[in-house]
């Protein structure tokens, strides 16, 4: 088996990382905090079952970074394949991300988006600067959603797409 690759000795480490991770498919979520404020994230992951912990990363220079640092609660919304418009809206800067998005206030006024397959709320237990990003770890408080059996929204190679099961 022959492995071919492009020489990378001329690329900066940040460019190498960006180029490599474009090949990694990630689930798409929208995170919200009271305010309301929110953003699209593909960095959401589980951390621990006991205690139930989740985490995400956010650029330290993001417009929502201050609101995230001040929040005592956050919500994570797992998006379905039909919700790419929501993902695109919450990824944009300089717009009212909640305009045209159905939501209702949850505990402590955290926005809960309508019609998502799954959501959870969490209380931040760790906020740590890591490089040019902010790591937030939260303890899960509650969960819900419409439980839709649709396919998840994914992000891969700079675009949104859907999961295709293998048979």
């Amino acid at each position: 088996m022959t492995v071919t690759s492009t020489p990378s000795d001329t690329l900066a480490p940040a460019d190498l990382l960006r180029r490599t991770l474009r090949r990694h498919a990630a689930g798409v979520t929208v995170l919200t905090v009271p305010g309301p404020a929110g953003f699209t994230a593909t960095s959401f992951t589980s951390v621990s079952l006991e205690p139930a912990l989740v985490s995400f990363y956010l650029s330290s220079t993001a417009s929502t970074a201050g609101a995230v640092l001040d929040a005592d609660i956050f919500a994570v919304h797992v998006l379905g394949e039909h919700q790419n418009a929501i993902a695109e809206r919450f990824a944009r800067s300089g717009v009212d991300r909640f305009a045209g998005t159905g939501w209702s206030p949850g505990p402590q006024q955290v926005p809960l988006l309508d019609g998502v397959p799954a959501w959870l709320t969490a209380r931040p237990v760790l906020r740590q600067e890591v490089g040019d990003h902010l790591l937030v770890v939260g303890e899960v408080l509650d969960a819900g959603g419409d439980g839709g059996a649709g396919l998840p929204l994914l992000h891969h190679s700079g675009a949104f797409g859907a999961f295709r099961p293998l048979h």
Side-chain angles (χ1 to χ4, degrees):
M1 174 183 192
T2 303
V3 177
T4 61
S5 64
T6 305
S8 59
D9 56 345
T10 60
L11 293 176
D15 293 328
L16 289 171
L17 180 61
R18 187 177 296 110
R19 183 179 73 179
T20 301
L21 290 184
R22 284 181 63 86
R23 306 308 312 152
H24 173 70
V28 180
T29 62
V30 166
L31 284 102
T32 58
V33 296
F39 61 96
T40 299
T42 58
S43 63
F44 172 72
T45 190
S46 64
V47 174
S48 167
L49 292 176
E50 292 295 331
L53 300 174
V54 295
S55 72
F56 65 90
Y57 287 88
L58 171 66
S59 173
S60 299
T61 61
S63 62
T64 53
V68 169
L69 283 170
D70 292 341
D72 293 328
I73 191 171
F74 63 87
V76 179
H77 306 84
V78 177
L79 300 185
E81 68 174 329
H82 63 287
Q83 296 176 312
N84 60 303
I86 294 172
E88 290 170 356
R89 183 177 314 120
F90 277 81
R92 269 187 230 116
S93 293
V95 300
D96 180 355
R97 295 172 177 157
F98 289 89
T101 301
W103 65 279
S104 57
Q108 300 177 45
Q109 302 301 305
V110 68
L112 298 177
L113 302 184
D114 296 341
V116 295
W119 58 261
L120 62 81
T121 58
R123 174 182 63 86
V125 295
L126 173 72
R127 293 178 182 102
Q128 176 71 48
E129 286 189 40
V130 180
D132 60 1
H133 276 63
L134 173 67
L135 164 65
V136 178
V137 177
E139 183 175 15
V140 174
L141 302 172
D142 197 8
D146 75 7
L151 297 175
L153 183 63
L154 299 178
H155 191 261
H156 179 261
S157 196
F160 293 114
F163 174 76
R164 184 180 52 86
L166 299 174
H167 298 283

